[in-house]
């Protein structure tokens, strides 16, 4: 019975998403404007988290400057929602006009040489539209890591939308095995890593300074990149105007196998901070990114043989 209800919900969600995605961008952005008023003035969606993140990340800015960033963030975030809905049916011509890439010549050269590439991205701009990269390349298989949803039907729905443009989704828990298998097949790949999320306590192996915060960071992408010697590339995303983005590929390191531990991760976050400071309103400030502190970590956890363990007598925290 539960499975039947989930399937019905999936069918309704698919149909609704498909129908709304058929609307022209003018109608979708009008919908976004209404959504902005609801989220910023009525619901005040995650206002406390957003304001706390902004004030602690930019202590040098005045309240008026921060309020302006907050308003622009809500506008962009609502645009991001309708733009992601549009991904269901957007044409190749439309998305290539609205999501452009620069620096692809170097990417093509590296792929032609048989080198695989790891592209670090963040929750900046419209990261879902980055899945249109296959339209811009002639070599290599474009892949992206993702967290499968517990609901198999909705997981299927989101996976379908993300793979429409030719990118291949790799479940996070299978990432290294699948990437190694693809490498053995002899075809170079380009893998997108969004690595600015907050790690679970047992995945914290490194801390760094990021936007004036002592920040725990994910290091899994670095381990994969170093293990497979992928070229380290940063995808610098800018919003050109409403509904138009550009991603500039910057080759940071070609030899990653010999990088020091956490060096790649630190370089990535330095690049990310520059991108955010340039255009702060298109970053995902609604995520409670700094909810885990080093003090709490040190009080509850310890490293044993390089792995995180809960200290004896301590209760697990989330």
């Amino acid at each position: 019975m539960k499975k039947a209800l989930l399937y019905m919900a999936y069918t309704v969600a698919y149909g609704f998403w498909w129908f709304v995605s058929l609307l022209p961008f003018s109608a979708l952005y009008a919908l976004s404007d209404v959504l902005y008023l609801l989220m910023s003035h009525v619901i005040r969606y995650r206002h406390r988290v957003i304001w706390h993140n902004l004030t602690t990340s930019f202590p040098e800015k005045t309240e008026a400057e921060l309020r302006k960033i907050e308003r622009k963030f809500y506008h962009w975030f609502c645009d991001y929602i309708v733009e992601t809905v549009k991904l269901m049916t957007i044409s190749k011509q439309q998305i290539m006009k609205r999501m452009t890439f620069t620096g692809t010549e170097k990417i093509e050269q590296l792929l032609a040489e048989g080198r695989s590439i790891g592209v670090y991205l963040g929750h900046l701009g419209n990261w879902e539209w980055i899945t249109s990269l296959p339209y811009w390349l002639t070599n290599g298989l474009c892949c992206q890591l993702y967290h499968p949803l517990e609901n198999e039907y909705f997981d299927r729905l989101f996976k379908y939308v993300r793979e429409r443009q030719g990118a291949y989704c790799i479940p996070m828990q299978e990432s290294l095995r699948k990437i190694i298998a693809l490498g053995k097949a002899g075809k170079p790949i380009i893998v997108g890593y969004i690595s600015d999320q907050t790690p679970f306590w047992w995945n914290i192996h490194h801390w760094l300074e990021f936007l004036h915060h002592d920040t725990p960071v994910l290091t899994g992408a670095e381990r994969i990149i170093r293990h497979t010697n992928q070229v380290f590339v940063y995808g610098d995303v800018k919003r050109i105007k409403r509904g138009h983005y550009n991603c500039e590929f910057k080759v940071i390191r070609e030899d990653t196998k010999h990088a020091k531990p956490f060096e790649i991760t630190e370089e990535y976050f330095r690049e990310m901070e520059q991108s955010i400071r340039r255009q702060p309103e298109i970053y995902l400030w609604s995520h409670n990114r700094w909810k885990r502190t080093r003090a709490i970590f040190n009080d509850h956890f310890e490293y044993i043989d390089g792995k995180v363990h809960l200290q004896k007598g301590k209760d697990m925290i989330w």
Side-chain angles (χ1 to χ4, degrees), residues 139-198:
N139 291 306
L141 172 66
C142 295
C143 309
Q144 56 183 318
L145 303 191
Y146 84 108
H147 287 285
L149 302 176
E150 290 185 15
N151 185 314
E152 63 174 302
Y153 296 112
F154 282 92
D155 181 61
R156 185 191 308 171
L157 174 58
F158 280 90
K159 189 170 179 286
Y160 165 74
V161 172
R162 286 170 172 164
E163 291 186 336
R164 268 197 76 237
Q165 322 298 329
Y168 173 55
C169 286
I170 300 176
M172 191 71 69
Q173 63 271 24
E174 303 174 24
S175 54
L176 182 58
R177 179 175 60 83
K178 291 243 181 188
I179 289 170
I180 290 174
L182 288 168
K184 287 181 178 178
K187 187 172 185 180
I189 59 175
I190 178 167
V191 186
Y193 303 93
I194 297 183
S195 297
D196 59 337
Q197 304 99 321
T198 302

